[in-house]
Amino acid sequence: MPVALLTYADLGARLNISREAARSLARRRRLPRSRSDDGKALVRVDFSELRYTPRPRTGRRANPIDVSIARIEAIKTEAFKAEIARLEDVATAYRAVFERERERAERLAVELQQASAEATAATAWAARLEDDMAALRTDRRPGGSLAGYAARRLGHLAAAIVKADRAARAR
């Protein structure tokens, strides 16, 4: 094929590329250039030597800063989601411990009330026994002998002790 003098636009039309791509190709291949009478650049091209297949067009590349910011935001979002999930697991574990300790505290409060009631009953029982002992010592009972009263009182005391012992074993 003969050598042709073409403008960048004509070269781009022949090769099915843009005018800027034709200009870049002429520079890369160091094709001889000259100026026409109207001031446009002319390129001397021998199409038999020029073996050129254009690359398929790719979309415009996104701004690398925007891509980086989007990637950081995605990582942040994933990291925040992971942290939230971890904190929810920790909160669930603490909640279980809290519930277990609350139930234990309630059981201890019930046991404390029972122990308090038993202590009050024991104090009342001790006071009644002290009164009975004082009555036996002073013999305040009119018309009764000391030996008869002591025997009856001793029987009552023994029955009360057996009753208290049976009640304690039942618990």
Side-chain angles (χ1 to χ4, degrees), residues 106-122:
E106 288 174 355
R107 281 194 313 269
L108 288 175
V110 168
E111 289 177 14
L112 181 63
Q113 286 177 346
Q114 289 174 348
S116 176
E118 289 174 3
T120 303

Side-chain angles (χ1 to χ4, degrees), residues 2-157:
V3 176
L5 281 172
L6 302 171
T7 63
Y8 292 132
D10 294 336
L11 179 62
R14 279 253 183 108
L15 296 176
N16 196 22
I17 58 176
S18 69
R19 186 183 71 78
E20 291 81 17
R23 183 171 181 255
S24 177
L25 178 68
R27 280 188 171 181
R28 277 195 319 268
R29 299 280 177 102
R30 295 187 177 149
L31 299 175
R33 291 176 283 180
S34 61
R35 293 247 181 227
S36 67
D37 292 336
D38 60 355
K40 290 186 178 179
L42 296 175
V43 180
R44 189 179 310 260
V45 181
D46 184 4
F47 284 103
S48 63
E49 291 180 9
L50 183 66
R51 303 206 190 288
Y52 178 75
T53 54
R55 287 190 215 158
R57 291 187 180 213
T58 58
R60 291 191 95 183
R61 293 187 72 185
N63 184 357
I65 294 173
D66 292 339
V67 171
S68 297
I69 289 173
R71 194 175 299 148
I72 289 169
E73 289 300 321
I75 290 170
K76 274 186 191 176
T77 303
E78 291 301 317
F80 287 148
K81 286 180 182 177
E83 183 68 12
I84 288 170
R86 186 187 70 79
L87 290 175
E88 285 175 346
D89 291 342
V90 168
T92 302
Y94 280 134
R95 184 67 181 177
V97 169
F98 170 76
E99 290 295 327
R100 198 170 45 246
E101 289 299 319
R102 185 177 55 83
E103 290 171 4
R104 185 171 153 245
E106 288 174 355
R107 281 194 313 269
L108 288 175
V110 168
E111 289 177 14
L112 181 63
Q113 286 177 346
Q114 289 174 348
S116 176
E118 289 174 3
T120 303
T123 302
W125 177 260
R128 200 169 76 218
L129 287 178
E130 285 178 11
D131 288 345
D132 288 345
M133 288 296 291
L136 284 175
R137 283 190 190 127
T138 58
D139 189 34
R140 284 187 263 155
R141 306 266 179 186
S145 71
L146 184 60
Y149 174 72
R152 267 183 300 164
R153 188 62 195 140
L154 186 59
H156 289 298
L157 287 175

